[in-house]
């Protein structure tokens, strides 16, 4: 019998293919502390999603071992050699046909039953003690309203640890999807419909959120930031949001304020006591936010000025028009907006 060792070139190809496969699947150690990981759950919903994921992974591992093991056994048992037995044909074997149809139906049940249970469980009617948050997904940013506290904010979702939050999801334009990987699976945000999502954050921290349904040119730029506060801190945030914005006496910021009040800004944005526009994000406490333009970049004077000068350049398709501000004007506006803490 002639034995052939794999050639050097086929070994190289195999190594290259494995490398490409690992890269393509984003496999690596960073999977465990990646900001968008789903396998580090930080809420009850996240844990349940992770449990279903692990159940499916282990089930498929068992199926993989059974199928591949059977395949290897058959390859070995009926390998080409003198006097080898011939495999028995099983075409039309009724018992086998019925058994493996039932086996696959069982696999679907193992996956389907807990999945459907969690979908219903996370849509239960909220209690009066739950935190109510109305989420509006818009092209391409997120609005968060807290009707119990009369607060409207954008792109930064604040939640208390250990209290169930009831999200009421709605979209005024197209379908979006509300997704905070650390806190659980996605839920669609659909026009003319209010979808509910119930979850209780369990670990304080900051978690990135992302629109997970293609919704147009800047879908990938439709991000948000979730801040889960430790006990007591959330109430401080609520009080700060309910108070009128603190303003600065800095001349540049004052110049920015009058510019804001005189320009088209007021038609789209609300700043408590200054303007009442409803189209763009509420900017009442804009200076207290860490990021700008749906968590696209840090909220710094330079970034805010660049954004005002050309929003479409930073977020393609952005609804905010270029108002033709000069560099000096956009710097004044940035100073004013960032003073609104
Ligand atoms: Cu909104 Cu994708």
């Amino acid at each position: 019998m002639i034995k052939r060792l794999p050639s050097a070139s086929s070994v190289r190809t195999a190594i290259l293919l494995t490398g490409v496969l690992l890269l393509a699947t984003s496999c690596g150690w960073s999977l465990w502390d990646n900001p968008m990981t789903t396998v580090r759950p930080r809420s009850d919903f996240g844990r349940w999603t992770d449990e279903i994921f692990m159940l499916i992974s282990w089930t498929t591992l068992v199926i993989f071992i059974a199928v591949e093991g059977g395949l290897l056994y058959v390859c070995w048992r009926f390998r080409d050699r003198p006097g080898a037995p011939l495999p028995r044909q099983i075409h039309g074997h009724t018992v086998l046909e019925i058994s493996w149809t039932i086996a696959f139906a069982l696999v679907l049940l193992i996956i389907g039953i807990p999945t459907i249970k969690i979908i219903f469980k996370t849509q239960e009617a909220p209690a009066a003690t739950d935190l109510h948050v109305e989420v509006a997904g818009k092209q391409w940013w997120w609005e968060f309203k807290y009707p119990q506290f009369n607060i409207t904010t954008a792109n930064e979702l604040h939640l208390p640890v250990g209290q169930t939050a009831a999200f009421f999801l709605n979209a005024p334009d197209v379908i979006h999807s509300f997704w905070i990987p650390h806190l659980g699976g996605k839920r669609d945000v659909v026009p003319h419909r209010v979808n509910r999502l119930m979850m209780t954050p369990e670990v304080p921290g900051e978690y990135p959120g992302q629109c997970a349904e293609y919704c147009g040119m800047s879908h990938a730029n439709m991000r948000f930031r979730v801040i889960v506060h430790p006990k007591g801190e959330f109430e401080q945030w609520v009080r700060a949001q309910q108070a009128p914005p603190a303003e600065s006496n800095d001349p540049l910021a004052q110049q920015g304020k009058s510019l804001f009040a005189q320009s088209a800004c007021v038609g789209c944005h609300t700043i408590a006591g200054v303007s009442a526009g409803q189209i763009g994000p509420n900017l009442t406490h804009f200076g207290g936010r860490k990021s700008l333009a749906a968590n696209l970049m840090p909220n710094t004077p330079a970034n805010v000025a660049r954004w005002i000068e050309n929003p479409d350049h930073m977020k393609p398709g952005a609804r905010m028009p270029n108002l033709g501000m000069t560099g000096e004007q956009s710097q004044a506006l940035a100073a004013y907006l960032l003073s609104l803490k």
Side-chain angles (χ1 to χ4, degrees), residues 33-234:
D33 51 11
N34 189 299
M36 300 300 275
T37 185
T38 56
V39 293
R40 280 277 184 95
R42 298 285 192 253
S43 78
D44 53 357
F45 182 32
R47 272 190 294 108
W48 298 330
T49 313
D50 192 50
E51 279 163 20
I52 295 172
F53 172 68
M54 292 316 290
L55 173 78
I56 295 172
S57 300
W58 288 116
T59 311
T60 42
L61 182 66
V62 170
I63 295 169
F64 176 79
I65 290 172
V67 172
E68 293 304 309
L71 182 68
L72 287 178
Y73 170 74
V74 169
C75 287
W76 174 80
R77 181 85 177 79
F78 301 106
R79 69 194 183 281
D80 188 19
R81 64 186 197 281
L86 277 177
R88 195 152 59 86
Q89 296 307 310
I90 48 147
H91 176 77
H93 196 301
T94 315
V95 176
L96 272 181
E97 298 278 357
I98 291 176
S99 334
W100 58 47
T101 306
I102 291 177
F104 284 112
L106 281 178
V107 173
L108 287 181
L109 280 181
I110 292 175
I111 297 170
I113 290 173
T115 306
I116 292 167
K117 248 172 72 179
I118 298 309
I119 290 173
F120 279 93
K121 199 179 164 79
T122 53
Q123 293 188 72
E124 280 172 357
T129 48
D130 294 340
L131 175 75
H132 290 212
V133 188
E134 290 169 8
V135 177
K138 303 185 183 189
Q139 284 173 315
W140 288 276
W141 59 283
W142 298 90
E143 183 175 71
F144 303 115
K145 281 188 178 172
Y146 299 73
Q148 291 149 316
F149 304 114
N150 200 19
I151 292 172
T152 301
T153 185
N155 301 324
E156 291 195 358
L157 172 64
H158 290 255
L159 301 171
V161 74
Q163 186 184 359
T164 302
F167 297 99
F168 300 85
L169 312 165
N170 176 248
D173 42 41
V174 298
I175 302 179
H176 304 271
S177 184
F178 182 68
W179 186 36
I180 311 156
H182 278 100
L183 303 186
K186 304 157 186 172
R187 189 138 304 165
D188 277 6
V189 184
V190 182
H192 308 299
R193 182 189 164 83
V194 176
N195 275 345
R196 198 158 55 216
L197 171 63
M198 309 284 295
M199 72 146 94
T200 312
E202 293 175 334
V203 184
E206 280 193 29
Y207 309 110
Q210 171 72 50
C211 177
E213 178 80 44
Y214 181 69
C215 55
M217 214 192 302
S218 269
H219 154 70
N221 295 328
M222 190 171 164
R223 309 172 196 171
F224 58 108
R225 184 189 290 260
V226 185
I227 297 103
V228 176
H229 291 278
K231 286 249 178 291
E233 209 185 85
F234 178 72

Side-chain angles (χ1 to χ4, degrees), residues 240-241 243-248 283-289 299 336-341:
Q241 293 294 305
E247 277 186 33
S248 126
L283 301 176
T284 302
H285 291 94
F286 176 80
R289 295 180 200 151
N299 208 6
Y336 167 58
L337 293 173
L338 285 166
S339 75
L340 302 169
K341 300 262 163 106

